[in-house]
Amino acid sequence: TSSSGRFTSPNYPLAYPNSANCTWYISVPTGYVIQLTFSDMSIESHFTCAYDKVVVYDGPSAQSTDALARMYSWTHLKVDPLL
């Protein structure tokens, strides 16, 4: 464990494989805050956002109600308000 870290998609900095489904679990003790910084990201654009995306969830499961942010491309970022 460390107070900071880094993770990348498979094959980074080259293109990630088709149909890649990557999940990273990040946890901290109660009272701590997680800060995510995306320094280099390329997501395939699609008019319905049907393929590539990055979703950040709050909690141990990937439920749509727990989503804090959804990134479909650099031009489409949706951040849900914190409750």
Side-chain angles (χ1 to χ4, degrees):
T1 60
S2 175
S3 63
S4 66
R6 175 183 168 166
F7 56 92
T8 63
S9 61
N11 296 332
Y12 179 83
L14 301 175
Y16 47 85
N18 289 334
S19 301
N21 185 1
C22 303
T23 304
W24 291 272
Y25 294 95
I26 303 167
S27 62
V28 295
T30 301
Y32 283 68
V33 175
I34 296 173
Q35 177 179 328
L36 295 176
T37 303
F38 294 85
S39 58
D40 185 18
M41 184 165 53
S42 177
I43 298 177
E44 177 184 1
S45 293
H46 187 267
F47 69 96
T48 65
C49 303
Y51 300 117
D52 300 349
K53 62 184 169 267
V54 173
V55 183
V56 178
Y57 293 98
D58 179 22
S61 65
Q63 301 297 322
S64 60
T65 57
D66 296 332
L68 296 177
R70 296 175 182 89
M71 292 159 273
Y72 302 99
S73 71
W74 277 117
T75 59
H76 184 101
L77 169 64
K78 179 180 186 294
V79 178
D80 294 337
L82 296 174
L83 301 176

